[in-house]
Amino acid sequence: MRNGSADLIDVLSGSFERELTVNVFNGTDRVLEGERFESWQLDSVLSGRVCSDGSGVLVHASQGGESLVPVGTSGVLSPFRARVEPVMTIRAGGFSESVSLGMFRVTSVPSAADTTTPFEGRELVVASRVGLRFYSLDEDVERWGFRFPEQSPAGSSAYAEIRRITGMPVEVTLADVALPTAKVWEAKQGGRLDAVHELGRVLGGTAMVNSRGAWVVVPDKVADPVMTLRLGELGTVLDVNDEIDTDTVYNEVIGSFEDADGNPFYSIASVDSGDLATTGSYRPNTRYYASDLVKTPQQGKAAVQSVLDLSIGSQMYDVQVQCHVNPLVEVGDVVAVEGWVRALVGQVTAVKLSDSAYMNVTLRVHRELS
């Protein structure tokens, strides 16, 4: 959840106006502030390799005839140096509060043009319009490969390894896990980001960069909601649809591992009784699991049982919600939906923001299976 005051939360449940501007950074220097941003969108997906991507057109009114159209590596908006921070300002009556949507790496400039006017025999730039494509800071780790295979330090923990690999801040959201053995990370395209995602799974969740620019691991299990979306004529949720799918409800997990000497071994966990028993009418639905962090039969048994418990403990289905823009919501948050035909609590797995007055949110809802 992005940072916001209690007053802002109250305002977002009623009528308000919004405006999006961007700040531009070169390194740690803020070189532009409060620039107009048009035709923008920002999409975030928890399961995405890089969590968030966006685009928009920055409109700069020239003060002294300067152009912001970048040329190669030159210019404050050059994708070789620029970072952007979209900032949404909410206003209602005399109330005003701004919310940073995060820091993003500019990766391309798909369009750029100056508006000019003749002045004393020369063309003077009046305004620049620069299209920007940008990604969340996971992109930095995606691009930064290992120069050669790297081995995790002996006795390292998962969070310590994420800090070492990324060189970025880390917010601890789950209990840390000691790596059972020294792990060798492969030097390949995207290998550093692969390593972070694997460590996130070891911790029991999905690794991503949040709006504060820190790595977090979003838990697989749904916790208590941090905010509420309300239905009704004056509420925030406009439309809800749900879908049920049993494809991912596994009642048998088979793990394939190797011990410290490279000898293969297998671990199996299955449901033996009840509605989801492999011998019952549901029939076997098998999932295969592997991890080179598992080195003993005891670790293998615990690993496959954990995967099985997560599967049979709940059935996940997606709820599509369209609601008025709420800049505080980000992927990984757990929210409640009230006022529908039944109470819903789900994890936000996708958010689509744009210059529309509405946003689209996907909730991953867990229905308990008895």
Side-chain angles (χ1 to χ4, degrees):
M1 178 177 176
R2 296 185 177 96
N3 296 324
S5 68
D7 289 339
L8 175 60
I9 293 174
D10 290 340
V11 166
L12 290 171
S13 66
S15 178
F16 59 87
E17 296 179 350
R18 77 204 183 286
E19 178 188 23
L20 190 89
T21 57
V22 291
N23 301 324
V24 179
F25 291 78
N26 288 174
T28 59
D29 297 329
R30 184 166 60 187
V31 293
L32 294 171
E33 183 178 5
E35 294 291 319
R36 205 167 106 207
F37 210 44
E38 297 180 348
S39 304
W40 67 274
Q41 65 177 42
L42 177 61
D43 297 342
S44 301
V45 181
L46 181 60
S47 61
R49 182 167 177 82
V50 174
C51 181
S52 301
D53 68 278
S55 62
V57 178
L58 185 149
V59 182
H60 174 76
S62 175
Q63 301 299 313
E66 74 278 3
S67 169
L68 287 192
V69 174
V71 179
T73 59
S74 300
V76 296
L77 293 178
S78 168
F80 291 93
R81 70 177 67 210
R83 301 285 192 271
V84 292
E85 179 192 24
V87 177
M88 184 174 290
T89 301
I90 302 296
R91 299 185 179 92
F95 175 86
S96 177
E97 185 170 334
S98 297
V99 178
S100 171
L101 301 186
M103 189 72 73
F104 301 85
R105 175 181 182 140
V106 176
T107 59
S108 65
V109 175
S111 63
D114 289 327
T115 300
T116 61
T117 186
F119 179 75
E120 296 182 351
R122 60 191 180 96
E123 292 293 316
L124 197 66
V125 175
V126 176
S128 298
R129 296 177 59 87
V130 181
L132 302 174
R133 180 79 174 168
F134 49 89
Y135 289 82
S136 53
L137 298 184
D138 325 36
E139 178 72 9
D140 288 349
V141 181
E142 167 77 303
R143 291 173 173 233
W144 181 23
F146 293 116
R147 291 187 174 182
F148 41 79
E150 288 192 13
Q151 182 170 302
S152 61
S156 180
S157 74
Y159 275 120
E161 190 66 344
I162 291 175
R163 291 188 185 94
R164 187 188 73 84
I165 289 173
T166 66
M168 295 171 62
V170 174
E171 294 181 7
V172 176
T173 53
L174 291 166
D176 205 352
V177 174
L179 300 183
T181 184
K183 165 71 176 178
V184 177
W185 306 114
E186 187 177 350
K188 63 177 183 178
Q189 199 72 39
R192 193 177 294 267
L193 187 58
D194 286 344
V196 176
H197 285 166
E198 182 172 345
L199 289 164
R201 290 190 290 272
V202 167
L203 285 162
T206 302
M208 57 164 277
V209 175
N210 65 13
S211 59
R212 293 175 291 280
W215 280 97
V216 295
V217 178
V218 177
D220 290 328
K221 294 183 178 180
V222 174
D224 295 331
V226 296
M227 69 179 74
T228 300
L229 303 176
R230 294 180 176 87
L231 290 174
E233 185 178 354
L234 299 178
T236 55
V237 179
L238 302 179
D239 187 42
V240 176
N241 294 295
D242 65 320
E243 176 183 331
I244 299 175
D245 191 345
T246 64
D247 284 350
T248 57
V249 181
Y250 300 103
N251 56 3
E252 180 179 66
V253 179
I254 300 175
S256 175
F257 311 110
E258 289 185 356
D259 64 19
D261 297 323
N263 301 310
F265 67 93
Y266 298 89
S267 300
I268 300 174
S270 62
V271 180
D272 299 323
S273 61
D275 293 337
L276 298 182
T278 55
T279 55
S281 57
Y282 184 57
R283 307 296 296 169
N285 188 12
T286 305
R287 177 180 175 181
Y288 294 90
Y289 177 76
S291 172
D292 55 11
L293 295 175
V294 173
K295 294 299 181 183
T296 68
Q298 292 80 8
Q299 292 170 353
K301 181 178 179 180
V304 294
Q305 188 64 48
S306 176
V307 174
L308 179 66
D309 290 345
L310 184 62
S311 175
I312 66 174
S314 63
Q315 178 183 342
M316 296 183 293
Y317 64 99
D318 288 344
V319 176
Q320 307 297 329
V321 179
Q322 187 182 49
C323 58
H324 292 286
V325 167
N326 185 330
L328 300 182
V329 178
E330 60 181 323
V331 291
D333 288 343
V334 178
V335 302
V337 177
E338 293 182 353
W340 193 41
V341 294
R342 64 178 182 272
L344 290 174
V345 174
Q347 186 180 71
V348 177
T349 60
V351 179
K352 291 182 177 292
L353 284 167
S354 69
D355 49 10
S356 166
Y358 306 104
M359 69 179 187
N360 293 308
V361 176
T362 302
L363 298 183
R364 180 65 49 83
V365 176
H366 288 201
R367 173 179 291 134
E368 295 301 322
L369 298 175
S370 56

